[in-house]
Amino acid sequence: MGLHIHFVGIKGTGMSALAQISARIEGATISGSDVEESFFTDSVLKRAKIPVLGFSPSNVEKADLVVASAAYTNQHPEIARALELNIPVMTYPQFLGRLLSKKRGISVAGTHGKTTTTAMLGMVMLNADFDPTIVVGSDVPSIGGNAHSGTGEFFVAESCEYRRHFLNYSPEHLIITNIEFDHPDYFQDLDDVISAFAELAQKVPEHGHIYLWAEDPNRQAIHGSAPITTFGLSDAADVRATEILFRDEQSSMKIMLKGQYVGDLDLHVAGRHNILNALATIAVCHEIGIPIKEVLDSLSKFTGTKRRFEHLGCNTNGALIVDDYAHHPTEIRTTLEGARLSFPDRRIRAVFQPHTFSRTEKLLQEFSLAFQSADEVVIADVFASAREQGNQTVSAHTLAELIQKQGIQARYIGTLDDIKHYLAQTLAPEDLVLTLGAGDVYKVGLGIVS
């Protein structure tokens, strides 16, 4: 009888991805449990023929290993029962580290851009018949979901820095898209964040490779025994883009490797940040032996991921409704700049739902400066993390007032239902409504799409 692995909180994006690939990598029987509430992963798990049970201590009693979502503590009835029965319990990052160690790991880390870069890299490798295993933090149409269980030797994994989770991994290849201060409920300051990335870089072996954004002011702290390749827009970057032209939601450019022109790239996702994500992908693919022409051809077919400048549709009068996961000041600024480049003639109406009180408080001034490319900003109530319920240290109303002081029309409208009502009453045909945040702000867009 094979290994039986039970996943507690299997509907989570990362957990559902691990459940899908574990059957092949571990040769295991998979079961899982979660709440009744619907998630996009319900269809993913159904396709993978993985049943989802309601929570019950009896679910774990025949398991050989329990993998637990970070959302739950040892007091969760299933985890408590597993510990009582001496069944091994691993966290998500611990188990992902175990799976990565069985293949040639490629970790995609960084404060921003992890999901899109992982999706781009996974798609290009699939198209090149490398058949990698992939774990990514969103639904990606080009790879068939949020995971792919491949037969190839590589494993591409989105790798999060929160609580230093990515130190459970020892990748052969490491992309660091950028390094900024985030997760202030855990990291003390920027230096603390940098130290985590620096420690991860030290884990890359001599025969491996590290890829860094050339213009990142914090990259000088990253050292290791592995060689380093840089990507970016400056002349100093090893892999760079030049002669960039923006048109609608597309961009075209020439690609240079070590100063030599190697081909043109037409990219069909908006913004300079996605050009950087593509350059990181090119750097890795070149290193592992995929011909540049194949890489560029594949990237030209990339259409994005869920909740990354995702077109939800239009209102009855023609207003365009778009949703994005941006929840950090830098992400908001770059997403709005991309929207302005793509839609110069539309009125951009940003709806922002701050995510966690700790992030909102620590980065309040940065948030107030992030909306310069918007014509109007609507601020929703803070979407609190379960770990900080009751710890209301800052108000969304204050943020709206600070944005107004920057000369931008801004208003606080707390609930998502009230925001939907306000937009429905004021939408004009030339509007672009852009919902921003890591919580459930996307429901505003879904509520006004015709």
Side-chain angles (χ1 to χ4, degrees), residues 120-171:
M120 285 179 170
L121 182 56
M123 185 198 74
V124 174
M125 293 176 71
L126 281 170
N127 290 346
D129 295 326
F130 274 51
D131 197 23
T133 295
I134 306 165
V135 167
V136 61
S138 183
D139 187 4
V140 184
S142 56
I143 68 170
N146 62 339
H148 176 77
S149 182
T151 58
E153 60 182 341
F154 286 102
F155 188 153
V156 183
E158 182 173 342
S159 304
C160 183
E161 74 273 17
Y162 183 59
R163 294 191 177 275
R164 288 176 162 79
H165 284 162
F166 58 17
L167 296 184
N168 286 279
Y169 320 145
S170 296

Side-chain angles (χ1 to χ4, degrees), residues 116 120 249-251 267-271 274-275 302-305 308:
T116 299
M120 285 179 170
E249 289 181 79
Q250 304 176 31
S251 57
L267 203 56
H268 295 264
V269 283
N274 279 318
I275 294 174
F302 183 75
T303 56
T305 77
R308 270 66 178 183

Side-chain angles (χ1 to χ4, degrees), residues 48-186:
K49 298 180 180 178
I50 298 173
V52 180
L53 309 170
F55 287 133
S56 170
S58 63
N59 290 338
V60 305
E61 291 178 354
K62 294 182 180 179
D64 301 300
L65 171 66
V66 170
V67 180
S69 164
Y72 303 113
T73 68
N74 289 351
Q75 277 67 56
H76 186 281
E78 291 190 357
I79 300 172
R81 181 58 174 157
L83 294 172
E84 182 183 325
L85 296 173
N86 292 317
I87 297 170
V89 176
M90 299 183 78
T91 64
Y92 169 88
Q94 288 171 340
F95 188 61
L96 177 54
R98 165 172 158 162
L99 298 183
L100 269 172
S101 69
K102 296 175 183 288
K103 289 179 177 279
R104 298 176 66 184
I106 303 177
S107 279
V108 182
T111 310
H112 323 294
K114 294 185 291 291
T115 296
T116 299
T117 305
T118 304
M120 285 179 170
L121 182 56
M123 185 198 74
V124 174
M125 293 176 71
L126 281 170
N127 290 346
D129 295 326
F130 274 51
D131 197 23
T133 295
I134 306 165
V135 167
V136 61
S138 183
D139 187 4
V140 184
S142 56
I143 68 170
N146 62 339
H148 176 77
S149 182
T151 58
E153 60 182 341
F154 286 102
F155 188 153
V156 183
E158 182 173 342
S159 304
C160 183
E161 74 273 17
Y162 183 59
R163 294 191 177 275
R164 288 176 162 79
H165 284 162
F166 58 17
L167 296 184
N168 286 279
Y169 320 145
S170 296
E172 179 179 328
H173 294 263
L174 170 64
I175 299 173
I176 300 178
T177 57
N178 43 63
I179 305 172
E180 284 197 76
F181 180 50
D182 196 10
H183 303 297
D185 62 319
Y186 173 75

Side-chain angles (χ1 to χ4, degrees), residues 63 78 88 109 113-114 137 148 178 223 254 297 308 317-318 327-328 390 419:
E78 291 190 357
K114 294 185 291 291
H148 176 77
N178 43 63
H223 306 283
K254 296 189 180 301
D297 286 348
R308 270 66 178 183
N317 66 359
H327 57 283
H328 182 281
I419 294 172

Side-chain angles (χ1 to χ4, degrees), residues 232-260:
L233 305 181
S234 65
D235 291 346
D238 298 319
V239 181
R240 66 188 181 98
T242 65
E243 301 182 36
I244 301 169
L245 296 174
F246 293 96
R247 179 173 54 84
D248 298 328
E249 289 181 79
Q250 304 176 31
S251 57
S252 62
M253 66 212 76
K254 296 189 180 301
I255 302 299
M256 313 290 287
L257 287 180
K258 300 283 188 180
Q260 299 295 312

